[in-house]
Amino acid sequence: MLHSGRTNWRYIPRSSSQNQSRRASLTTFPIHEPSHSFVSNMSLKLLLTTLVSMASATQIFSNRGTLTGWGGQQTEHKGTLSTTSSVFFDQPPSIVAEQTYDPSYTGRYHSEVRVLNAYQHGQTRFYGFAFRLPDNWQFDPAQSYDISQFIAAFHNGCDDSMPSTMFWLEGRKLNTRLKTGSVCAQKTRKIPLPVTVTAGQWHKIVMEVKWTPDNSGRFKVWYDDQMVVNEQNVATTVKENAAFQFRVGLYANGWHDDKTMKGTQGVRKVFFDKIAIATTKNEADPSKW
């Protein structure tokens, strides 16, 4: 512990432009040691270790609810992506992903933004984002609406574009999954989360994943600061090593898969804000940056 009379080292994060990855910088100030104070070697080592750890924390990608800086966007049929300054997580704007059902249309319903090269084999990454359903979101009857996914192109004759881990709503329930095996022999394990999603308020999803096709992987999920998944020594992706994208937005996959819309709400929208990929949990948590 530093005693009074000592000038402390200060850790100052360097600000960066929006939508770009940022790396914390370390600024040091000289320590003036008064004759009456003493700092043990153990305390100094602990201080240095903490500061080095903080300096190594990196945001690989971050976005504060805008449509700039992404690796791409996808809207299908009548889908749209826009921003709003009236609904936001901590400061405006936020992204609005919207889709409209069309009974004469047989294609898919994506309205997503994407980050390229979000993971490959052997990497450990933290991912985080905030989402909000409108006050009038119709939960019943339940149908599937995807709000985030990892996806890669393979073009190997089995699956041209294969999503791995996803998060999707079914009524008030939120689910995720792990996909393992191979692209031509996929093994999908659904993981229902012990949460109840509400409309009209912001929710956070933060995940930590060590991406491996064997049983050396790790998969953790926090929902609104509560750990809801903690899986160790598991496979977390397929054996083919591709560069997967990380996407957030609204994919009304239930409309396509069920070949109909359940309920009466033919226009759906979801708000998204504070999206990040990082090397530490705090750098990915929407409340911490």
Side-chain angles (χ1 to χ4, degrees):
M1 177 176 181
L2 290 174
H3 295 270
S4 60
R6 186 187 192 93
T7 302
N8 194 6
W9 289 31
R10 296 179 58 204
Y11 166 73
I12 304 175
R14 181 185 303 159
S15 61
S16 61
S17 60
Q18 192 174 30
N19 312 317
Q20 295 180 352
S21 64
R22 60 194 177 99
R23 186 176 299 274
S25 65
L26 187 65
T27 301
T28 62
F29 297 92
I31 297 176
H32 304 290
E33 185 73 49
S35 58
H36 63 275
S37 68
F38 171 77
V39 179
S40 68
N41 288 335
M42 186 66 70
S43 297
L44 185 57
K45 287 180 180 179
L46 179 61
L47 174 63
L48 291 172
T49 300
T50 301
L51 291 171
V52 169
S53 175
M54 294 172 69
S56 64
T58 302
Q59 271 193 334
I60 299 166
F61 173 87
S62 63
N63 182 280
R64 288 181 174 271
T66 74
L67 294 178
T68 59
W70 295 95
Q73 304 176 15
Q74 181 180 11
T75 54
E76 293 174 314
H77 200 46
K78 298 181 180 180
T80 63
L81 289 166
S82 61
T83 61
T84 180
S85 294
S86 59
V87 179
F88 50 87
F89 183 75
D90 57 8
Q91 65 183 48
S94 70
I95 295 172
V96 187
E98 183 175 304
Q99 268 293 348
T100 300
Y101 180 70
D102 181 351
S104 66
Y105 173 66
T106 59
R108 298 183 184 273
Y109 291 91
H110 288 90
S111 290
E112 296 174 316
V113 288
R114 58 179 176 261
V115 183
L116 306 179
N117 301 315
Y119 83 77
Q120 289 184 309
H121 284 182
Q123 293 180 333
T124 299
R125 295 285 185 266
F126 291 80
Y127 309 84
F129 64 93
F131 76 95
R132 175 174 173 151
L133 305 179
D135 294 349
N136 66 343
W137 181 273
Q138 188 178 81
F139 288 101
D140 299 310
Q143 195 164 21
S144 180
Y145 295 93
D146 181 80
I147 59 172
S148 177
Q149 63 176 322
F150 296 87
I151 190 168
F154 290 94
H155 306 297
N156 60 358
C158 296
D159 202 335
D160 288 343
S161 185
M162 189 206 76
S164 58
T165 294
M166 306 172 70
F167 286 84
W168 71 96
L169 295 159
E170 284 182 303
R172 295 183 180 273
K173 300 301 181 183
L174 182 65
N175 306 284
T176 187
R177 75 181 193 184
L178 290 174
K179 181 171 283 189
T180 58
S182 69
V183 176
C184 293
Q186 301 172 21
K187 299 177 182 179
T188 303
R189 178 162 62 94
K190 178 180 177 181
I191 306 174
L193 304 184
V195 304
T196 300
V197 180
T198 56
Q201 65 184 102
W202 286 98
H203 298 288
K204 298 188 306 178
I205 293 176
V206 178
M207 65 191 108
E208 176 191 358
V209 192
K210 180 182 179 183
W211 298 103
T212 63
D214 57 29
N215 290 334
S216 64
R218 179 169 63 253
F219 186 52
K220 297 181 179 181
V221 179
W222 292 263
Y223 178 84
D224 290 348
D225 298 318
Q226 298 297 314
M227 181 179 284
V228 291
V229 177
N230 184 8
E231 299 207 1
Q232 307 284 340
N233 303 315
V234 294
T236 53
T237 191
V238 294
K239 68 178 184 180
E240 291 86 352
N241 190 14
F244 276 76
Q245 302 173 10
F246 176 51
R247 298 186 177 190
V248 297
L250 173 60
Y251 170 33
N253 56 325
W255 294 350
H256 173 268
D257 298 345
D258 299 336
K259 296 180 173 55
T260 189
M261 179 192 73
K262 297 179 181 180
T264 59
Q265 195 169 58
V267 177
R268 297 276 184 163
K269 67 174 65 175
V270 183
F271 303 96
F272 294 89
D273 206 347
K274 300 295 287 289
I275 306 101
I277 303 175
T279 59
T280 65
K281 181 175 179 287
N282 281 355
E283 292 292 302
D285 189 330
S287 297
K288 302 293 178 64
W289 60 275

